Amino acid sequence: CSNDSEEDMFGDYDSFYGNDSLVAEVDDIEHRYLQVKNMDVKAAGEIDLGNPQSGVHQKEQDNISASGDVVVLQSDKESACQMCDSDPADGNQELTESILDDLPSSQLLYFEKMDELSSASRTSPVSKGRDEHVNSSSDKIRDPVSFYAGAEHRNRPTDSSSRSKCVLFKTESLKDHLKSAMTGNARAQALQVSKTKQLKEAVLSEEIFVARKAIESSSVDIGPFYGLPSKVKDLFRQLRGIETLYEWQHDCLMLESLQQRKNLIYSLPTSGGKTLVAEIIILQELLCRQKDVLMILPYIAIVQEKVWVRGLSSFGIELGFLVEEYAGSKGRFPPIKRRVKKSLYIATIEKGHALVNSLIETERVGELGLVVVDELHMLGEGSRGAILENTLAKILYTSKKTQIIGMSATLNNVGDLQKFLQAEYYTNNFRPVELKEYIKIRDTIYAVDSKTENGFAFSRLLNFKYSSNLEKADPDHIIALVTEVIPKYSCLIFCPTKKNCENVASMVCKYLKKEFRAHRENEKQDLIKNLKSIGNGTVCPVLKQTIPFGIAYHHSGLTNDERKSIEEAYSSGVLCLLACTATLAAGVNLPARRVILRAPYVGNDFLKKNQYKQMIGRAGRAGIDSAGESILIVQEKDKHLVQDLVHSPSENCYSSLLLELTKGMQSLLLSLVGLKIAVTHEEVDNFMCCTLLGVQQQLLSKEKSLSEIIKDGLENLIEKGLVKRISEKDHNLKSTLTITPLGKAAYKGSIDLAYCNVLYRELKKGLEGLVLESNLHLLYLSTPYDMTSTCSPDWMIYLRQFNQLSAAEQKVADIVGVPESFITKKASGQAIRKNVDNAVVNRLYLTFVLYTLLKETNIWSVSEKFNMARGYVQNLLNSAASFASCLLHFCEELEEFWVYKALLTELTKQLTYCVKTELIPLMEVAGVLEARAKQLYNAGYKTLAHLANANPETLVRMIEHLSRRQAKQIVSSAKMLLSEKAEALQEEVEELLKVPTDIP
């Protein structure tokens, strides 16, 4: 029968059960089938309705024919007897089968199912005896007759009208059955899945169920792979090449604190395998406990590597969860609420904070079962540390069931962090490859040895013959150090500045022997061709000179595409030496046999212990090298400073909330009130006790008490119009605060409060005369404030770009406060009397850069046009995309700025990808940047679906300079994105189909 609660997909459309329909035909076959089955019963001699000697009295026969389990319609009795006269057993069997041959297989299954149900419900001795006989006479066909008899009731009248009603009832029941089946078929997804795949999925599902139960029961035996299905272990072997875990990893995963879901901080040297432990814990949360997970990483590049390069998206596809990237302009707030699949959010510090805010606001923070923080020591590093502290404090305060895992290679004052995170602590000095630390003074190398008096022990003298010219070019003997290693092994040289990186790379290749060029020569030429394609025909002269020797530089001056190509070439061994800045140590994982520190400085600042440990931690590649070496080049004047550096403990981690007022304390106070976590001074005081600042308040706030600092902060927010008191007369500690619309827009847009009021005024002014002839005016509003201080305009270029604008576009400069006369006088070197805001002037100049970039979509040509480093232009583009996304969320909260919403949505997309429109779908795929997108598009791969269905081997053959690993990564990424989009679309459709409960 049909389910009344379900929507009737067919309504009153009854043609499928009319007189000439399939249902009518089935009904006729059923009728004949009943006759044959009853003749079969008679022939077997169990009950002969026409023979008094059969042992059944006439009264009993009447009862049987009228109301028994076997029903023979009286009008058919004679013909039935005639049919039984010849060969009753075989003939009836053949006839039954011939009748049933006309039925569709689905109807045969229906008879079979109904017969099973009726057989289970039989109780009378007569029916039991009949069942036994029928089953013995026919193995193929089960008896469905009793089902229909039961449906017509045992005490049914035998008149024809009653019979017709019963037949009608039966037909209606069958109609409803078919209607229900067809409805189910219409709603079902027609997926063609192989039996093998179904079996594998069934095994995986069963293992996940067992693992989940094991974890819930906190049993010692937690399943095949730390409470996870064996497929997870297979994936680690296939995707990462990991066969077994290190002993410390096993010990850490078996900690009692983890079994009891306590918060945990663990610390090991770089390359010790910390991330694998975190990933296993993440998979336990997603698969076994069925909760979402947030993983916070320090930089966009690391987020992208973790999502795609390190294969977590592949894990998601294989194990049935979603991996969502929250970095730059990417991320949805609040995230889509999934009913079936769970999500792993991989986010930067800033995006992670915005995500947590959105979950708290929508009362969904409980969906987060686990938060994992990499590089936990960043809590003490400026504004980003303040934002991270805000995020963790809110989670601790609002969701007692969310577990927090923090990891770092460099931690010192762990006690404070334990108290803040209410966490257990695990540490180990394990490194898979031994690290040998050295320093070099002049031509002598000393081993770092804490047992000696001055901390250093003589190791050896450099054995390399230097000519007088070479001695002048390379006084630090870098060539001697690198030629001991390359090209057979890899080497990193950390340099203080970007310019120094390029100089070192050029100098080394200038004095290398020509034999170095022969090492993997063809692959080096392919790399140069690839870089030329990326630069639209242009290659950096330094790279063109150094790459044939297997050498390159790596710093923020490279574009994203260049940096990615160089990293891949280094990882595969095509490049054997990188001259790089300190950012590589904190970024993607590029280990080396030997790490050389060109000087104990980063820029003009002396090296910190945390930075030093990160750099030397890159030495030694697990599974490749037996040992790793680090060599710090030291001048005699810095020897004592270096002694302190290598033997001192890591720096302490202190709260940055007070140092970074607008991004720290004030931002936190604003969001506490806006999210209604704490709305009185007293409640804010209670919350602040749960922060790292609360733990360290006696150390950090000596001049004022923490309560006084909070009071001043709240008053400042009230003065800025971001927060207000509900009652203006009430000024005591228990007076209730509420957020203003501007305040709500500020914290939801993650806008730095230092610029909040300025931004509001500029947007308001834009409403009076927003120039829409082009996107120049909108681009100005989307240009990030924090990059203006690093901009030094070239006034001749400024004037040239201004003169190329249309009259309407020139009007934009006047509207924002940079008149043409000002630019002209600056370009001609004349004195300026009129006071013009330098920040506005610089911001407009950066807007010109972005405007040209969106028109030309070529970072190389734009950097040349504005005489800027291409890496700086790339960074400006990335920052503008991120700020445009923040600006969009800001405007969404203020009704007066409704006009900006649609405009900023499109602009954010343009800034994010900065390519022609047709390439944008391909640019969404991880590992596909502009040059690769063009290759794929020209090869016929024009949509996500094309890539998701692509064969990696075919991609390798068709796309130049594409490795097999990259091809697999692209296909995996496309599949994950399609899965996310399909899931989101399905959720939206289901929301739309929901019928409001108040509609009758």
Side-chain angles (χ1 to χ4, degrees):
C1 296
S2 62
N3 188 346
D4 292 334
S5 66
E6 293 182 357
E7 180 185 355
D8 189 342
M9 296 180 69
F10 302 98
D12 295 324
Y13 187 71
D14 293 336
S15 65
F16 78 96
Y17 62 89
N19 293 333
D20 298 326
S21 67
L22 171 65
V23 176
E25 188 178 330
V26 169
D27 187 49
D28 180 58
I29 292 171
E30 285 179 19
H31 187 74
R32 285 187 284 150
Y33 182 81
L34 294 180
Q35 295 176 5
V36 173
K37 291 303 294 181
N38 283 291
M39 287 186 287
D40 191 25
V41 170
K42 179 180 178 182
E46 179 183 348
I47 303 175
D48 186 351
L49 297 180
N51 186 357
Q53 296 178 359
S54 64
V56 182
H57 294 292
Q58 185 64 39
K59 186 175 180 180
E60 293 171 326
Q61 292 171 15
D62 292 340
N63 288 337
I64 293 170
S65 63
S67 59
D69 282 349
V70 179
V71 179
V72 178
L73 300 179
Q74 300 296 324
S75 60
D76 293 318
K77 188 182 292 185
E78 289 181 9
S79 60
C81 291
Q82 290 172 5
M83 292 172 69
C84 290
D85 285 344
S86 61
D87 199 6
D90 296 335
N92 287 345
Q93 179 67 28
E94 291 173 5
L95 181 59
T96 301
E97 290 180 350
S98 69
I99 291 171
L100 293 177
D101 282 343
D102 295 334
L103 288 177
S105 58
S106 59
Q107 188 62 21
L108 289 173
L109 291 174
Y110 176 68
F111 280 156
E112 198 170 287
K113 180 69 176 175
M114 295 304 102
D115 187 36
E116 288 174 1
L117 292 172
S118 62
S119 297
S121 63
R122 288 174 186 155
T123 53
S124 70
V126 175
S127 65
K128 286 179 183 177
R130 181 184 52 72
D131 285 345
E132 290 169 2
H133 171 72
V134 172
N135 288 335
S136 66
S137 64
S138 175
D139 293 329
K140 293 183 181 178
I141 307 299
R142 298 181 189 177
D143 183 33
V145 178
S146 59
F147 164 71
Y148 295 110
E152 294 171 358
H153 308 294
R154 292 185 179 274
N155 297 321
R156 181 194 62 180
T158 57
D159 62 87
S160 59
S161 64
S162 298
R163 283 199 302 272
S164 65
K165 287 179 182 177
C166 294
V167 173
L168 179 62
F169 175 85
K170 180 174 64 179
T171 305
E172 291 292 333
S173 175
L174 183 56
K175 178 195 77 174
D176 289 339
H177 168 72
L178 283 179
K179 184 186 274 191
S180 175
M182 291 169 73
T183 301
N185 290 340
R187 287 175 175 164
Q189 294 182 355
L191 295 176
Q192 295 182 354
V193 183
S194 69
K195 292 289 184 184
T196 306
K197 186 173 182 181
Q198 285 180 330
L199 184 61
K200 286 181 179 178
E201 289 177 350
V203 172
L204 175 62
S205 178
E206 178 63 22
E207 285 190 341
I208 289 175
F209 176 77
V210 171
R212 194 182 304 157
K213 287 295 182 186
I215 282 183
E216 287 172 358
S217 65
S218 67
S219 168
V220 176
D221 180 14
I222 59 172
F225 185 67
Y226 301 99
L228 291 164
S230 54
K231 184 172 183 178
V232 174
K233 187 175 182 180
D234 295 338
L235 286 172
F236 276 116
R237 182 169 55 250
Q238 294 166 17
L239 300 174
R240 306 280 182 80
I242 297 172
E243 295 287 345
T244 56
L245 270 63
Y246 299 129
E247 185 179 348
W248 84 262
Q249 291 171 327
H250 173 77
D251 293 343
C252 187
L253 287 167
M254 298 304 292
L255 288 173
E256 187 67 24
S257 55
L258 278 183
Q259 307 305 316
Q260 296 175 3
R261 285 185 56 73
K262 291 181 180 179
N263 296 342
L264 177 70
I265 299 169
Y266 63 99
S267 175
L268 279 96
T270 301
S271 303
K274 298 184 295 295
T275 304
L276 178 59
V277 170
E279 288 174 347
I280 291 172
I281 297 170
I282 286 169
L283 292 174
Q284 288 174 342
E285 197 67 32
L286 289 164
L287 301 179
C288 303
R289 297 190 179 93
Q290 290 288 295
K291 288 283 191 177
D292 295 332
V293 176
L294 169 61
M295 187 176 199
I296 299 175
L297 302 170
Y299 304 109
I300 293 175
I302 305 178
V303 169
Q304 292 171 340
E305 185 194 30
K306 185 64 65 180
V307 173
W308 307 114
V309 181
R310 297 294 295 164
L312 281 179
S313 59
S314 299
F315 278 82
I317 290 167
E318 294 292 333
L319 299 171
F321 62 86
L322 296 172
V323 180
E324 300 185 39
E325 180 184 339
Y326 279 74
S329 62
K330 294 184 178 179
R332 181 165 176 164
F333 305 102
I336 297 171
K337 188 171 185 176
R338 317 283 184 183
R339 290 190 303 107
V340 181
K341 289 187 177 180
K342 297 303 168 186
S343 291
L344 167 57
Y345 309 113
I346 303 184
T348 57
I349 291 171
E350 294 79 6
K351 288 291 181 178
H353 182 229
L355 177 65
V356 168
N357 280 347
S358 70
L359 290 173
I360 293 172
E361 184 180 31
T362 53
E363 299 182 351
R364 289 171 51 194
V365 70
E367 294 174 13
L368 278 182
L370 174 68
V371 175
V372 174
V373 182
D374 196 7
E375 309 295 356
L376 186 64
H377 64 270
M378 289 198 72
L379 275 168
E381 296 189 10
S383 61
R384 308 190 78 225
I387 294 170
L388 181 58
E389 184 177 347
N390 287 351
T391 305
L392 295 176
K394 287 173 188 172
I395 292 168
L396 288 164
Y397 196 82
T398 60
S399 180
K400 304 300 182 186
K401 292 184 178 180
T402 302
Q403 185 181 21
I404 295 176
I405 305 289
M407 52 182 170
S408 177
T410 56
L411 288 176
N412 192 29
N413 57 331
V414 179
D416 287 353
L417 300 181
Q418 278 186 267
K419 193 172 180 181
F420 165 45
L421 295 177
Q422 303 158 35
E424 302 288 316
Y425 180 59
Y426 175 88
T427 187
N428 196 303
N429 291 321
F430 171 83
R431 269 187 63 95
V433 177
E434 182 187 3
L435 173 62
K436 298 176 181 177
E437 289 181 59
Y438 300 96
I439 68 164
K440 186 190 83 69
I441 303 176
R442 296 190 184 92
D443 61 350
T444 306
I445 293 178
Y446 300 89
V448 175
D449 187 354
S450 57
K451 297 176 183 177
T452 61
E453 186 177 346
N454 64 355
F456 303 120
F458 174 81
S459 177
R460 64 187 173 92
L461 291 172
L462 276 178
N463 183 22
F464 190 89
K465 293 181 180 179
Y466 267 75
S467 65
S468 58
N469 287 337
L470 184 55
E471 187 73 41
K472 289 178 183 178
D474 182 25
D476 294 322
H477 309 109
I478 292 173
I479 292 173
L481 294 174
V482 300
T483 51
E484 291 177 344
V485 179
I486 65 170
K488 187 177 181 181
Y489 301 106
S490 57
C491 181
L492 294 174
I493 304 176
F494 284 102
C495 304
T497 66
K498 289 184 285 188
K499 189 63 180 173
N500 193 226
C501 290
E502 298 178 29
N503 291 341
V504 166
S506 296
M507 183 272 295
V508 171
C509 75
K510 189 175 179 180
Y511 290 97
L512 286 180
K513 295 178 181 179
K514 290 183 179 180
E515 288 78 25
F516 282 88
R517 297 179 69 104
H519 180 72
R520 302 181 72 166
E521 186 173 6
N522 292 336
E523 289 163 282
K524 292 171 187 172
Q525 289 303 316
D526 286 343
L527 175 59
I528 292 174
K529 288 178 185 176
N530 188 33
L531 291 173
K532 190 173 183 179
S533 172
I534 288 169
N536 285 341
T538 308
V539 182
C540 169
V542 176
L543 292 176
K544 193 173 182 179
Q545 175 198 5
T546 62
I547 286 174
F549 291 90
I551 299 168
Y553 64 85
H554 184 290
H555 57 58
S556 61
L558 296 168
T559 65
N560 291 344
D561 298 60
E562 288 176 311
R563 188 158 55 246
K564 185 175 180 61
S565 294
I566 287 170
E567 287 169 358
E568 288 171 350
Y570 177 81
S571 297
S572 62
V574 175
L575 296 177
C576 55
L577 173 65
L578 289 184
C580 51
T581 53
T583 52
L584 185 140
V588 295
N589 186 28
L590 295 174
R593 173 66 171 265
R594 176 176 289 179
V595 168
I596 300 169
L597 281 69
R598 172 75 177 72
Y601 290 90
V602 174
N604 295 321
D605 300 324
F606 195 78
L607 206 60
K608 294 179 181 178
K609 183 59 181 276
N610 288 346
Q611 293 171 323
Y612 173 72
K613 288 184 73 174
Q614 278 190 324
M615 290 179 188
I616 67 172
R618 296 299 184 196
R621 298 166 298 171
I624 300 174
D625 299 326
S626 57
E629 301 171 338
S630 71
I631 300 173
L632 172 57
I633 298 173
V634 182
Q635 304 301 320
E636 193 69 46
K637 64 182 179 66
D638 294 324
K639 185 176 178 180
H640 294 294
L641 289 174
V642 170
Q643 281 179 324
D644 294 337
L645 171 70
V646 296
H647 295 295
S648 65
S650 298
E651 290 86 4
N652 286 336
C653 182
Y654 296 117
S655 171
S656 299
L657 287 179
L658 294 182
L659 297 174
E660 298 289 335
L661 274 179
T662 57
K663 287 187 178 180
M665 177 63 83
Q666 289 185 10
S667 176
L668 175 58
L669 295 176
L670 179 66
S671 61
L672 289 179
V673 175
L675 295 169
K676 299 178 181 176
I677 296 173
V679 294
T680 66
H681 189 157
E682 189 175 35
E683 289 175 353
V684 173
D685 278 349
N686 292 336
F687 177 91
M688 293 304 295
C689 291
C690 300
T691 63
L692 181 59
L693 175 60
V695 173
Q696 299 173 333
Q697 59 180 300
Q698 292 182 341
L699 186 66
L700 300 180
S701 55
K702 295 179 179 178
E703 296 179 1
K704 287 185 178 181
S705 68
L706 185 55
S707 183
E708 289 175 320
I709 293 171
I710 292 168
K711 184 180 178 181
D712 291 345
L714 291 172
E715 289 297 331
N716 186 275
L717 293 176
I718 292 170
E719 287 174 16
K720 288 182 176 179
L722 303 175
V723 166
K724 65 180 181 180
R725 293 185 179 89
I726 290 180
S727 173
E728 290 298 329
K729 297 179 181 179
D730 196 357
H731 285 256
N732 60 45
L733 293 180
K734 294 187 178 180
S735 62
T736 304
L737 300 167
T738 186
I739 198 163
T740 65
L742 178 60
K744 187 175 183 181
Y747 89 78
K748 292 197 75 172
S750 301
I751 302 295
D752 187 340
L753 299 188
Y755 310 119
C756 180
N757 290 94
V758 177
L759 176 63
Y760 178 79
R761 287 196 300 269
E762 289 188 331
L763 289 169
K764 190 80 172 174
K765 189 176 181 181
L767 291 179
E768 298 170 8
L770 187 65
V771 178
L772 295 176
E773 182 181 282
S774 69
N775 57 12
L776 180 66
H777 198 167
L778 201 64
L779 268 174
Y780 173 79
L781 295 172
S782 304
T783 302
Y785 291 97
D786 55 4
M787 290 197 71
T788 58
S789 60
T790 61
C791 174
S792 299
D794 183 313
W795 294 107
M796 290 304 296
I797 295 173
Y798 209 143
L799 181 60
R800 188 186 312 129
Q801 292 300 315
F802 179 85
N803 288 333
Q804 290 175 3
L805 300 175
S806 68
E809 290 172 334
Q810 288 181 355
K811 187 182 175 184
V812 173
D814 199 48
I815 290 172
V816 302
V818 185
E820 181 181 0
S821 59
F822 174 84
I823 301 172
T824 305
K825 287 179 180 179
K826 273 287 189 180
S828 61
Q830 297 179 37
I832 305 294
R833 295 177 184 175
K834 188 176 180 180
N835 189 23
V836 178
D837 189 342
N838 280 334
V840 175
V841 173
N842 291 357
R843 194 170 179 224
L844 182 62
Y845 188 68
L846 294 176
T847 302
F848 285 172
V849 177
L850 291 169
Y851 182 58
T852 309
L853 192 54
L854 288 187
K855 284 199 297 184
E856 298 185 11
T857 68
N858 186 327
I859 289 175
W860 271 90
S861 65
V862 173
S863 64
E864 289 175 6
K865 190 171 286 187
F866 285 87
N867 195 24
M868 289 178 165
R870 61 193 185 282
Y872 181 84
V873 176
Q874 176 80 74
N875 186 36
L876 171 63
L877 180 64
N878 294 343
S879 298
S882 183
F883 186 68
S885 174
C886 293
L887 189 59
L888 173 60
H889 294 303
F890 180 88
C891 291
E892 283 175 340
E893 297 303 318
L894 296 168
E895 189 61 37
E896 60 192 299
F897 294 149
W898 63 271
V899 71
Y900 288 115
K901 296 176 190 175
L903 297 172
L904 286 168
T905 300
E906 186 59 32
L907 182 65
T908 302
K909 188 180 290 187
Q910 290 177 25
L911 289 168
T912 300
Y913 300 111
C914 192
V915 292
K916 292 180 180 178
T917 308
E918 64 266 21
L919 297 181
I920 288 179
L922 301 178
M923 294 284 287
E924 293 182 48
V925 178
V928 176
L929 298 172
E930 184 179 2
R932 184 73 76 211
K934 287 178 181 177
Q935 286 180 309
L936 291 167
Y937 190 86
N938 293 334
Y941 298 95
K942 299 182 178 182
T943 66
L944 270 182
H946 289 163
L947 288 179
N949 292 316
N951 184 329
E953 297 299 327
T954 306
L955 282 179
V956 171
R957 288 197 303 272
M958 295 185 68
I959 307 300
E960 200 174 6
H961 311 307
L962 183 70
S963 68
R964 188 168 282 99
R965 182 184 63 80
Q966 292 168 328
K968 289 179 179 178
Q969 176 188 320
I970 286 171
V971 173
S972 174
S973 168
K975 285 180 178 178
M976 175 60 74
L977 284 169
L978 270 186
S979 176
E980 284 183 26
K981 288 176 184 290
E983 187 92 2
L985 190 59
Q986 187 175 348
E987 298 281 348
E988 288 182 18
V989 169
E990 290 179 359
E991 284 294 320
L992 288 172
L993 291 176
K994 281 183 180 177
V995 180
T997 54
D998 56 340
I999 296 178

